[in-house]
């Protein structure tokens, strides 16, 4: 980028640009932390919650496909899944450990 100030001698814009960059990154970190915390706290009962038509009408039970998709979404919310491509070796998790973690979460929730 070829950013410049109003005059060639004016570098004051650089500090403002850097503060903006830091503010955006700090905001993204706060939002990301909040989102991870919220996802981990989603209750398993959401997988079976009834569906409303959104217009104040009657609620209906979920069909099997809807229930399956909700369960997958909840499991993915509780356990972050990331690619191991380029990850340091000490951060790569064995698949069996992920399954053990999910089983532990489900047991803790009484399922």
């Amino acid at each position: 980028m070829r950013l410049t100030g109003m005059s060639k001698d004016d570098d004051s814009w650089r500090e403002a640009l850097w503060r903006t960059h830091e503010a955006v990154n700090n905001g993204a970190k706060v939002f990301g932390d909040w989102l991870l915390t919220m996802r981990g706290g989603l209750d398993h009962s959401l997988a079976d919650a009834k569906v409303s038509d959104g217009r104040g009408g009657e609620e209906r039970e979920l069909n099997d496909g809807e229930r399956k998709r909700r369960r997958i979404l909840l499991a993915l919310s509780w356990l972050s899944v990331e690619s191991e491509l380029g990850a340091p070796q000490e951060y790569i998790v064995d698949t069996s450990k992920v399954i053990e973690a999910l089983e532990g979460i489900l047991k803790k929730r009484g399922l």
Side-chain angles (χ1 to χ4, degrees):
M1 298 172 86
R2 294 185 181 148
L3 300 174
T4 60
M6 295 297 287
S7 74
K8 298 223 183 251
D9 299 330
D10 181 17
D11 285 342
S12 62
W13 61 272
R14 290 177 185 240
E15 182 62 29
L17 179 63
W18 181 251
R19 284 195 312 269
T20 301
H21 171 76
E22 285 184 313
V24 169
N25 284 332
N26 288 338
K29 181 184 181 314
V30 168
F31 177 76
D33 289 346
W34 171 83
L35 184 62
L36 285 172
T37 301
M38 186 216 49
R39 287 180 12 190
L42 292 175
D43 193 271
H44 66 272
S45 63
L46 292 171
D48 294 317
K50 292 183 179 182
V51 178
S52 171
D53 64 7
R55 294 172 282 170
E58 290 188 28
E59 293 181 333
R60 66 171 176 79
E61 297 290 329
L62 297 172
N63 64 43
D64 290 340
E66 291 169 324
R67 186 173 292 107
K68 178 181 179 180
R69 286 189 296 276
R70 284 186 178 193
R71 288 178 176 168
I72 290 169
L73 179 63
L74 284 170
L76 291 174
S77 294
W78 296 331
L79 302 169
S80 291
V81 179
E82 298 177 15
S83 172
E84 61 185 50
L85 294 175
Q89 189 62 37
E90 64 267 21
Y91 294 110
I92 297 176
V93 179
D94 182 359
T95 306
S96 64
K97 290 184 180 182
V98 175
I99 293 170
E100 287 176 27
L102 179 58
E103 289 173 346
I105 291 168
L106 294 174
K107 285 179 186 174
K108 192 182 292 186
R109 292 174 182 254
L111 299 172

